[in-house]
Amino acid sequence: MEVYTGKSIYKGIAIGRILFYQKGEQSVKRTRIEDTASEIGRYEAARQKAMEQLNALYEKAVKEVGEMNAAVFEVHAMMLEDDDYVDSIINIIETQQVNAEFAVATTGDNFAKMFADMDDDYFRARAADVKDISERLVNILSGRENGGDIGEEPVIIVADDLAPSETVQMDKEKLLAFVTEHGSANSHTAILARTMNIPALIGVQIREAWNGRLAVVDGYSGTLYVDPEDEILSQMKARQEEDIRARELLSELKGKEDVTLDGKSIRLYANIGSVKDIASVLANDAAGIGLFRSEFLYLESSDYPDEETQFQTYKTVAENMAGKKVIVRTLDIGADKQADYFQIAHEENPAMGFRAIRICLERTEIFKTQLRALFRASAYGNIAIMYPMIISVDEVRRIKEIVAEVKRELDEQGIAYGEVEQGIMIETPAAVMISDLLAEEVDFFSIGTNDLTQYTLAIDRQNSKLDSIYDSHHPAVLRMIRQTIENGHQHGCWVGICGELGADMSLTETFLDMGIDELSVSPSFVLPIRKKIREMDLRKIKTKWSLVKVNSTL
Ligand code: PEP
Ligand code: MG
């Protein structure tokens, strides 16, 4: 048995085989080939296999996300058969006498560049597709076939690092746990692990030789056991059963109100990243969805999701929530959430760069497509919209102009939409400091404590070296939360928290005492927090927030 420790980012026990996850993009070596005919045969076999994979992916996607969203796999299949593409690969193998991997990678690069340079949005977006099929072929040829496809058996994924775009494409049913060498506790991949309710460790020195071996991830102690001894296996199975029993006990709280012993009630909502998370929202009996990270729709896709695709997604969420509030955050792409087809130029400092609402206010056609889809979906349920990364009143006014334009167009076309509450995320110190002015413009605030901590403390949330001082309990952050709630309430806004701090039960009492109206947390935290709230008596709190002096250390 081998034992390793790392930092746990989500508690729980997972037992299963390890899948060593290789990044899709790897450097491809050029090798001289004597027998080019058999190399072409190898390429043809790989093409055949890629076609089978794409057909299977198409079928699966049609069932899970509808024909519209599945169309991308049809496009990939067509490209795979494209005469120019195929001829180029065969030509390179024959004339340069090189291996098929190299011929495919070179053709992929050439075609991607050619598409990227075209003066047409549609063709520019095809650059990502041609890269994608070339990568698929290279992976098949070189026997590396991960790339989101993690096989049939549930596995523990071991990887150097995982980008949100990679995590989001994995089949959640088959994920038992994540173990990575790099990555920070505050990254979106960590947030996804919590949303998916799976144990995850970071900071473990990983080894490719573990691939296929049995392992246990103990998210309570931050330990990874490879080839666990029988005694450890039985201890861990017992702990898993204990967890199941604890969840069963919590399930008695389903249907109960989120109210303290002294009668203060709040709204306890859940955060989601995709339609598939709704099952867990309903199973955990959240009163609504407080944050739908809509950018994951864009990350899952190899091109801009069109209005119809988005409409169907938002409508499905709204209908499944059956009248309960669904707060959709508009596109928050950028920083660690990158999609190639946005073609955002390289930035030294992307967390403080061209991202989120900044992109939407410049590329208004993308923003308007999303807003149209959201307003149309609002006719089918209780949708609210919130805007990320706000720093000024002008931004909010500009958003309102665009929203008015969208509504006018829908009216002209006779398309119905519902009453939609509009809110903003408070996740920059600027927004906190002008929260009194911002509150006059919107219906609600949702405090994004992940970014608010990053920008307040000037600590990159992606930098795992700084995890120990990335402190969301810092008095500066807590005061900002208090100030936002006070200003919101004085100027007619309700205020929630949707960052990870909202699930920190050591602060639940403090947040309620500050007057928070809503907490939105990963689905599996809803029932434990409900329990906490129902056992709480705000009359008995020792440190009343209303009494904390501004110059105190709190
Ligand atoms: C936040 O910043 O707290 C937040 C909820 O948004 P995200 O984590 O997606 O940046
Ligand atoms: Mg944020």
Side-chain angles (χ1 to χ4, degrees):
M1 175 172 81
E2 295 168 41
V3 184
Y4 303 88
T5 46
K7 180 169 177 174
S8 170
I9 49 176
Y10 190 67
K11 295 189 169 63
I13 307 286
I15 304 174
R17 301 230 162 253
I18 287 179
L19 178 78
F20 192 86
Y21 179 84
Q22 305 263 20
K23 292 266 172 210
E25 261 185 64
Q26 302 231 347
S27 60
V28 170
K29 290 202 183 70
R30 178 189 176 120
T31 321
R32 197 177 157 75
I33 297 292
E34 295 301 331
D35 184 355
T36 51
S38 88
E39 196 60 10
I40 291 170
R42 211 164 69 81
Y43 156 66
E44 294 290 359
R47 186 155 68 105
Q48 181 75 28
K49 182 149 188 206
M51 192 54 88
E52 284 162 19
Q53 287 181 352
L54 288 169
N55 288 339
L57 279 171
Y58 177 77
E59 297 298 324
K60 179 168 177 278
V62 167
K63 276 194 219 112
E64 289 182 3
V65 291
E67 227 165 279
M68 240 9 154
N69 293 326
V72 62
F73 298 116
E74 274 187 325
V75 172
H76 285 195
M78 268 157 56
M79 282 187 159
L80 201 61
E81 305 263 73
D82 179 80
D83 285 346
D84 291 340
Y85 180 76
V86 174
D87 289 350
S88 164
I89 294 169
I90 294 179
N91 196 29
I92 292 176
I93 298 177
E94 278 176 341
T95 57
Q96 300 184 27
Q97 291 195 289
V98 286
N99 52 326
E101 288 87 336
F102 182 80
V104 169
T106 308
T107 302
D109 286 349
N110 291 341
F111 275 60
K113 181 155 185 347
M114 180 183 79
F115 281 130
D117 289 344
M118 283 185 177
D119 190 18
D120 178 305
D121 279 352
Y122 176 81
F123 282 111
R124 267 204 302 275
R126 301 283 75 77
D129 294 320
V130 80
K131 269 170 97 174
D132 208 322
I133 56 161
S134 307
E135 238 170 60
R136 181 177 296 282
L137 280 170
V138 169
N139 284 342
I140 294 172
L141 283 162
S142 52
R144 301 185 304 249
E145 289 186 53
N146 297 331
D149 179 4
I150 58 175
E152 288 310 308
E153 287 302 309
V155 285
I156 294 170
I157 294 281
V158 166
D160 187 46
D161 194 3
L162 288 168
S165 55
E166 290 170 311
T167 320
V168 82
Q169 288 183 46
M170 291 175 180
D171 185 344
K172 294 163 189 60
E173 306 286 305
K174 313 231 178 84
L175 280 180
L176 296 172
F178 290 136
V179 178
T180 64
E181 183 150 341
H182 301 288
S184 98
N186 311 297
S187 66
H188 283 92
T189 297
I191 290 172
L192 277 169
R194 285 178 213 123
T195 308
M196 291 186 237
N197 192 18
I198 59 170
L201 304 183
I202 54 174
V204 179
Q205 273 202 0
I206 58 161
R207 289 175 185 49
E208 192 166 352
W210 295 342
N211 197 26
R213 285 159 71 179
L214 184 67
V216 173
V217 176
D218 177 357
Y220 292 98
S221 64
T223 311
L224 169 72
Y225 302 90
V226 181
D227 296 330
E229 284 164 1
D230 289 349
E231 198 187 326
I232 291 289
L233 259 183
S234 52
Q235 266 176 29
M236 293 296 150
K237 280 184 185 152
R239 183 75 214 246
Q240 256 184 337
E241 276 156 25
E242 235 176 77
D243 283 354
I244 293 169
R245 274 196 301 279
R247 290 217 72 80
E248 277 167 5
L249 276 180
L250 280 173
S251 71
E252 286 168 12
L253 291 169
K254 287 188 198 171
K256 301 253 163 72
E257 282 180 55
D258 298 305
V259 60
T260 62
L261 292 171
D262 55 319
K264 158 104 182 145
S265 63
I266 74 150
R267 300 194 293 274
L268 198 46
Y269 289 174
N271 295 345
I272 64 166
S274 92
V275 173
K276 289 192 201 134
D277 298 330
I278 300 175
S280 151
V281 172
L282 297 174
N284 287 286
D285 193 37
I289 290 170
L291 167 63
F292 177 3
R293 288 183 163 93
S294 70
E295 57 278 6
F296 287 119
L297 279 180
Y298 293 71
L299 292 180
E300 276 168 356
S301 165
S302 55
D303 199 351
Y304 297 102
D306 60 18
E307 180 183 322
E308 192 58 27
T309 306
Q310 294 196 54
F311 164 66
Q312 292 297 345
T313 304
Y314 305 139
K315 176 171 174 267
T316 305
V317 178
E319 286 179 337
N320 277 285
M321 291 303 290
K324 289 181 179 164
K325 174 88 74 204
V326 175
I327 305 178
V328 183
R329 171 175 75 186
T330 57
L331 179 66
D332 186 13
I333 207 101
D336 63 326
K337 292 176 285 195
Q338 298 284 351
D340 286 351
Y341 60 87
F342 274 79
Q343 303 203 338
I344 293 173
H346 172 76
E347 294 175 309
E348 286 304 320
N349 222 334
M352 294 205 237
F354 187 51
R355 57 172 290 197
I357 201 68
R358 298 168 189 177
I359 296 180
C360 289
L361 290 180
E362 192 176 300
R363 303 188 184 174
T364 46
E365 70 293 356
I366 300 176
F367 193 33
K368 282 179 78 175
T369 302
Q370 181 169 36
L371 289 171
R372 275 182 64 93
L374 281 166
F375 274 96
R376 284 175 57 199
S378 70
Y380 298 85
N382 185 359
I383 285 195
I385 307 179
M386 72 176 168
Y387 306 97
M389 286 293 293
I390 296 296
I391 57 166
S392 73
V393 172
D394 277 352
E395 280 171 341
V396 180
R397 295 210 174 127
R398 180 72 193 114
I399 291 168
K400 285 162 81 175
E401 280 167 16
I402 297 173
V403 166
E405 242 171 80
V406 165
K407 284 166 113 177
R408 209 166 36 244
E409 284 166 18
L410 291 172
D411 288 339
E412 279 163 16
Q413 293 165 340
I415 298 174
Y417 54 89
E419 281 288 316
V420 177
E421 268 198 311
Q422 311 269 317
I424 54 172
M425 300 220 24
I426 300 287
E427 50 186 347
T428 63
V432 175
M433 298 313 287
I434 59 165
S435 48
D436 52 340
L437 306 176
L438 290 168
E440 300 286 350
E441 304 287 332
V442 294
D443 300 313
F444 67 93
F445 287 158
S446 188
I447 306 176
T449 51
N450 310 333
D451 279 319
L452 187 57
T453 304
Q454 141 162 284
Y455 298 124
T456 303
L457 305 184
I459 292 176
D460 178 357
R461 67 194 263 196
Q462 292 296 115
N463 188 339
S464 56
K465 268 205 206 97
L466 304 177
D467 271 357
S468 62
I469 54 168
Y470 174 97
D471 176 17
S472 295
H473 286 225
H474 191 293
V477 178
L478 295 181
R479 283 191 196 186
M480 287 205 178
I481 294 172
R482 179 178 54 160
Q483 187 176 337
T484 303
I485 297 171
E486 282 175 6
N487 278 335
H489 287 173
Q490 269 170 29
H491 296 267
C493 266
W494 63 263
V495 185
I497 296 177
C498 64
E500 297 295 283
L501 197 65
D504 184 332
M505 290 205 276
S506 68
L507 285 171
T508 311
E509 206 170 64
T510 304
F511 293 146
L512 266 77
D513 185 38
M514 285 180 178
I516 203 78
D517 302 294
E518 174 241 22
L519 291 174
S520 191
V521 299
S522 294
S524 64
F525 286 102
V526 169
L527 293 175
I529 297 177
R530 176 167 299 161
K531 180 168 186 294
K532 175 109 196 165
I533 289 170
R534 292 175 62 81
E535 288 166 356
M536 193 179 283
D537 188 338
L538 294 175
R539 290 165 305 194
K540 295 191 181 147
I541 291 188
K542 288 192 201 83
T543 318
K544 279 277 189 205
W545 268 85
S546 50
L547 301 178
V548 172
K549 301 248 175 2
V550 172
N551 62 359
S552 82
T553 54
L554 278 174

